Amino acid sequence: MHRLLIATKKLAIVCHRWMGVAFSLLFLWWFVSGIFMMYWTYPEVSDADQLQHAPVLHPENIVLSPAEAYKKAGFEDPPDGLRLISYDGRPAYVFRLGRGSALIYADTGEQQDIFSPDLNLRTAARWTSQPAETAKVETVKAPDQWTLQGPVRRQLPLQKYTFPDGQQVYISEESGEVVQYTTTATRIYSHLGAIPHWLYYTPIRLNGKFWTQLVIWLSAIATVAATLGMVVGIWMWSPNKKYRHQGQPTSVPYTGQKRLHTILGLFFGILTMTWAFSGMLSMDPFPLPTGGPIGGQGKDKGGSPAQRIQLALRAAEFDLAQYDKHPRDLLVQLGPRVAAKELEYTTFAGEPVIHVKTATGTERVLPAHPDADLTSERLRTLVREAAGPENIEEMHLLAQYDRYYLDRTRERPLPVLYVQLRDAGNTRLYIDPKTARLAGRYSDSTSAWVTRWLYHGLHSLDFPWLYNHRPAWDIVVLTLMLACVWLCWTSIVLSWRVLKRKFTRRRRYEADDLAV
């Protein structure tokens, strides 16, 4: 038995050593890139970016109402949604038609269905505030480093406009929208952060299955290497200080970098292991049951209580006739202090409303009819009636993030209406009382629990007591990340010594052979 333990220990040491030799540099860069990803991630164009770069709507340019513009365009079937934006310096309605859309100018009723190179060039110039004639234009037919995401890749080919100051704009030839935007800074930070952290290099990422398996296997190797290191470290640790170092009793049998590596591994090896393991979980290596639709399936035709609530939060059909107030009059009524960039025609718990999105990123909700009830009490009543009072465990206004609804950038809306249901999934819904939109949800399925705690919890340390008291989260995560960087650096030093020793021995053998 003793010999078996000794052999097992030697095997663990050898495996840990050569895993470190092969992968220590990658593991180090995962932690370094993780530090960059705390503040800079892969570039993408969000709704907030679209709004930030959009021009302000001017009421004097809006001639046609939504109904007039839609009728003039000759459409027969009713639209599914509507936004008023500025496009190419003109007010324009964007009607949602099933999975597609139609852009109709609000000044003439003309439909823009062809997005010419000159038009897209003007869009790029406005987005970057650069002269159009300075742009370098090229057509991107195959994915490059910045168009690897699925939603962007599916819109290829794209027109790419590169300006002398480093700004790059990708515009869809089909919709005329900016779908990707990078600057010199975002590209540099991506190459230091997201790209090496996700192994998001173009040749690798283009093969989705290969990329997925590569990340899973490398994460698994990192997990095993860290686990073996902890096992060896604990195995070699002597609480009774049976070893000697410079004549003094010590618990660690090594000296120099090896001693430092052992001590750091005993303290921070568990973090290295959990970060590698949780990173592997992001690739869904072990498909888990989701528990079906949120909240489970109900016995009645309306579905589960959670499904009935979500249906009640929005109107069954978009009715253009409900919005009879001219947007020109609405903008005049708001006044010049409200720099509206977009009007979104939608509903608040079935009531037709208009979301006014401003230059500062704030959003105001205006009723389409003066007698509409948009109060939080109306929202509570609707939720109670939709779910059934007997299916509601708890409902109150939540003013701070909790364990399942949180955001370290604090961009998700607060306060929210928290609704906990009595169902098999212990469903929690978070509803924005300003817009009556579902801002978040959580149910106790196996996959949801794994995603929340084993992935986000271990990988991002996204705990409310840290997020709600920033920079506490930054200090804790940076400290732990730097400790793991230090651990990986000692691994690189030891790996170099192993390789140097092997190469030196090999050259000595070759020299001896030549001498013979």
Side-chain angles (χ1 to χ4, degrees):
M1 186 66 180
H2 179 70
R3 291 182 178 179
L4 178 61
L5 290 176
I6 295 298
T8 303
K9 182 190 294 187
K10 289 182 178 179
L11 179 62
I13 291 173
V14 170
C15 291
H16 177 69
R17 176 187 300 150
W18 286 105
M19 282 182 174
V21 170
F23 300 105
S24 57
L25 188 61
L26 172 65
F27 300 159
L28 171 70
W29 197 244
W30 265 347
F31 283 107
V32 173
S33 59
I35 294 174
F36 282 97
M37 283 195 66
M38 291 171 62
Y39 305 103
W40 301 282
T41 187
Y42 193 81
E44 63 179 0
V45 175
S46 64
D47 292 340
D49 294 325
Q50 294 279 9
L51 194 63
Q52 179 183 354
H53 289 87
V56 175
L57 289 167
H58 296 289
E60 63 272 13
N61 297 332
I62 305 172
V63 178
L64 304 174
S65 68
E68 292 171 338
Y70 197 71
K71 182 178 180 180
K72 191 169 184 178
F75 292 105
E76 296 181 357
D77 295 332
D80 300 313
L82 169 64
R83 293 184 300 132
L84 174 61
I85 63 172
S86 289
Y87 187 80
D88 195 31
R90 301 165 61 185
Y93 296 111
V94 179
F95 292 95
R96 192 171 72 249
L97 307 171
R99 295 184 178 181
S101 63
L103 189 148
I104 302 173
Y105 290 107
D107 50 1
T108 63
E110 171 194 2
Q111 182 179 355
Q112 185 72 59
D113 51 7
I114 298 176
F115 299 90
S116 65
D118 290 341
L119 176 59
N120 291 337
L121 177 59
R122 292 198 298 271
T123 300
R126 287 191 178 92
W127 183 280
T128 59
S129 300
Q130 295 293 310
E133 62 272 11
T134 63
K136 176 185 175 183
V137 185
E138 57 185 302
T139 301
V140 179
K141 297 182 179 180
D144 64 9
Q145 183 63 71
W146 313 109
T147 57
L148 294 170
Q149 319 98 300
V152 177
R153 195 192 302 191
R154 285 191 289 270
Q155 299 189 60
L156 292 171
L158 303 172
Q159 291 297 313
K160 177 182 176 182
Y161 301 88
T162 304
F163 293 88
D165 64 350
Q167 296 186 81
Q168 293 181 344
V169 180
Y170 295 76
I171 296 181
S172 169
E173 293 182 348
E174 183 177 346
S175 66
E177 292 183 332
V178 175
V179 297
Q180 181 58 297
Y181 168 67
T182 70
T183 64
T184 301
T186 60
R187 293 193 295 274
I188 290 174
Y189 287 129
S190 293
H191 280 292
L192 294 174
I195 293 174
H197 198 79
W198 297 338
L199 302 183
Y200 224 67
Y201 298 100
T202 306
I204 298 175
R205 186 61 186 89
L206 285 178
N207 189 331
K209 291 183 178 179
F210 172 75
W211 172 72
T212 299
Q213 291 301 315
L214 180 65
V215 175
I216 290 175
W217 279 103
L218 289 177
S219 300
I221 291 171
T223 303
V224 172
T227 303
L228 287 175
M230 287 189 298
V231 170
V232 171
I234 294 172
W235 214 330
M236 301 300 293
W237 176 265
S238 173
N240 298 326
K241 297 185 178 181
K242 66 179 182 179
Y243 308 110
R244 290 291 183 270
H245 176 54
Q246 294 181 351
Q248 299 297 321
T250 179
S251 299
V252 180
Y254 308 117
T255 60
Q257 288 290 328
K258 202 169 185 179
R259 175 184 178 85
L260 179 60
H261 181 75
T262 302
I263 295 173
L264 289 173
L266 288 170
F267 278 96
F268 302 107
I270 185 67
L271 283 170
T272 308
M273 186 269 289
T274 55
W275 261 324
F277 178 71
S278 58
M280 180 177 65
L281 291 179
S282 68
M283 308 305 294
D284 194 22
F286 317 114
L288 297 170
T290 61
I294 179 171
Q297 192 66 33
K299 295 181 179 180
D300 58 338
K301 294 182 179 180
S304 69
Q307 290 169 336
R308 296 199 299 270
I309 290 174
Q310 292 182 77
L311 288 173
L313 291 177
R314 61 180 186 269
E317 295 182 359
F318 179 82
D319 187 0
L320 187 59
Q322 293 287 328
Y323 304 91
D324 51 5
K325 187 168 187 176
H326 202 291
R328 178 184 57 232
D329 300 332
L330 187 149
L331 291 173
V332 169
Q333 180 182 340
L334 289 173
R337 292 187 177 181
V338 180
K341 291 193 169 186
E342 180 181 319
L343 302 183
E344 181 183 5
Y345 291 70
T346 181
T347 59
F348 180 101
E351 294 282 356
V353 296
I354 302 171
H355 288 198
V356 181
K357 302 179 182 181
T358 67
T360 59
T362 58
E363 187 171 342
R364 299 177 60 176
V365 180
L366 302 179
H369 305 305
D371 57 346
D373 186 0
L374 307 184
T375 62
S376 60
E377 188 57 38
R378 155 70 176 158
L379 184 60
R380 290 170 183 258
T381 301
L382 181 140
V383 169
R384 195 177 294 111
E385 291 176 350
E390 71 280 1
N391 293 318
I392 296 180
E393 177 69 28
E394 184 181 357
M395 181 167 59
H396 63 267
L397 205 62
L398 188 69
Q400 190 57 277
Y401 296 118
D402 67 4
R403 292 177 297 171
Y404 304 104
Y405 179 77
L406 66 172
D407 180 7
R408 73 170 178 262
T409 62
R410 305 192 73 84
E411 293 180 356
R412 301 181 77 177
L414 278 176
V416 291
L417 182 64
Y418 171 80
V419 182
Q420 183 174 345
L421 301 176
R422 294 192 187 106
D423 60 5
N426 193 27
T427 304
R428 303 166 183 85
L429 302 178
Y430 302 85
I431 305 171
D432 185 357
K434 296 180 180 178
T435 63
R437 290 176 173 173
L438 191 65
R441 66 187 186 184
Y442 181 85
S443 62
D444 289 339
S445 66
T446 303
S447 61
W449 186 90
V450 168
T451 300
R452 172 61 188 95
W453 296 113
L454 294 187
Y455 172 47
H456 290 294
L458 292 179
H459 207 70
S460 303
L461 300 186
D462 58 346
F463 305 114
W465 52 275
L466 284 176
Y467 277 5
N468 292 337
H469 300 90
R470 291 191 71 178
W473 177 84
D474 305 74
I475 294 172
V476 170
V477 176
L478 276 173
T479 301
L480 297 178
M481 293 278 275
L482 289 172
C484 290
V485 168
W486 193 8
L487 173 62
C488 291
W489 174 253
T490 61
S491 179
I492 291 176
V493 173
L494 295 176
S495 298
W496 168 249
R497 290 179 180 176
V498 170
L499 293 174
K500 184 179 180 181
R501 186 164 57 249
K502 292 292 182 182
F503 290 143
T504 302
R505 188 177 304 166
R506 181 177 179 181
R507 287 198 297 268
R508 186 182 303 128
Y509 289 154
E510 291 175 350
D512 292 342
D513 291 341
L514 290 174
V516 173

